[in-house]
Amino acid sequence: MLKSNLVSPKGRTALEVKRFLERVSRLLKEDINLVKDSFLNSPFYNHLGLEIIQFQDNNVKIKLAVKENLLNANGTLHGGVLASMLDFIQGMLLRSVTKTKCVTISLNTHFLASVTEGDVFAEAKILQLGYKIATLEGQITDSGNKLLAKGIGTFKILRES
């Protein structure tokens, strides 16, 4: 527990430091909500029918209900939809961490199984995070946790300097 009579090296009391950290925490929470809202307002995100299940710092999960208009000529979910989901989940996760816009440099996708109905879920993790470049891995599973697709993406982080 912080005691308010303690003084930091910069001359701040522990209570002042605690209040400052609480303000920073609130601002970061607002930032993550702004990032989340930027995806919720994306026309392509809405066109696909994606839904955010979880959106926290370094913890993002999205869902897609398989619909007839997303099926290919074989009657299975189109690979372009899966690739788009992988692109979205990786970009979303990266932005949840950096709070900075990014663009995809490359996306390597492996299609492992098909799906014709139900819901599919996407998650990602950061493999490498540099100042301007990041590499992420994403995966898509069905509601039975069957692996449908995996992808590795390289992203440019749009920092000002």
Side-chain angles (χ1 to χ4, degrees):
M1 186 79 175
L2 295 173
K3 293 184 179 179
S4 62
N5 60 348
L6 297 177
V7 178
S8 73
K10 299 266 183 193
R12 304 271 187 229
T13 66
L15 184 57
E16 289 173 319
V17 171
K18 180 181 177 188
R19 287 181 181 153
F20 171 76
L21 292 174
E22 288 171 350
R23 282 194 306 271
V24 168
S25 178
R26 273 195 309 275
L27 288 173
L28 289 176
K29 194 172 195 173
E30 289 172 12
D31 280 350
I32 193 110
N33 287 328
L34 291 174
V35 171
K36 179 181 176 182
D37 288 346
S38 72
F39 286 100
L40 291 173
N41 293 319
S42 163
F44 190 57
Y45 172 92
N46 288 302
H47 174 72
L48 289 175
L50 296 171
E51 178 184 339
I52 294 173
I53 301 297
Q54 182 96 24
F55 201 96
Q56 298 172 332
D57 186 27
N58 204 25
N59 184 9
V60 179
K61 185 174 186 176
I62 59 175
K63 173 177 116 173
L64 174 72
V66 177
K67 296 174 266 185
E68 187 176 351
N69 65 320
L70 300 176
L71 302 180
N72 61 23
N74 297 326
T76 62
L77 187 61
H78 193 284
V81 174
L82 293 169
S84 293
M85 278 188 80
L86 288 168
D87 189 40
F88 264 112
I89 193 64
Q90 291 176 49
M92 293 169 98
L93 183 75
L94 182 57
R95 286 192 60 196
S96 81
V97 172
T98 65
K99 315 300 186 282
T100 304
K101 291 182 180 181
C102 61
V103 293
T104 309
I105 294 173
S106 69
L107 179 63
N108 186 351
T109 305
H110 297 273
F111 303 103
L112 305 170
S114 61
V115 64
T116 58
E117 61 186 8
D119 295 328
V120 295
F121 303 89
E123 295 181 279
K125 66 181 177 180
I126 295 173
L127 300 177
Q128 183 276 332
L129 178 60
Y131 185 71
K132 288 207 170 198
I133 302 289
T135 303
L136 291 90
E137 178 182 62
Q139 69 176 31
I140 301 173
T141 57
D142 66 10
S143 55
N145 214 28
K146 181 179 179 183
L147 187 60
L148 304 175
K150 237 176 147 65
I152 293 184
T154 303
F155 291 79
K156 180 177 182 177
I157 302 166
L158 302 176
R159 299 196 191 268
E160 294 196 17
S161 59

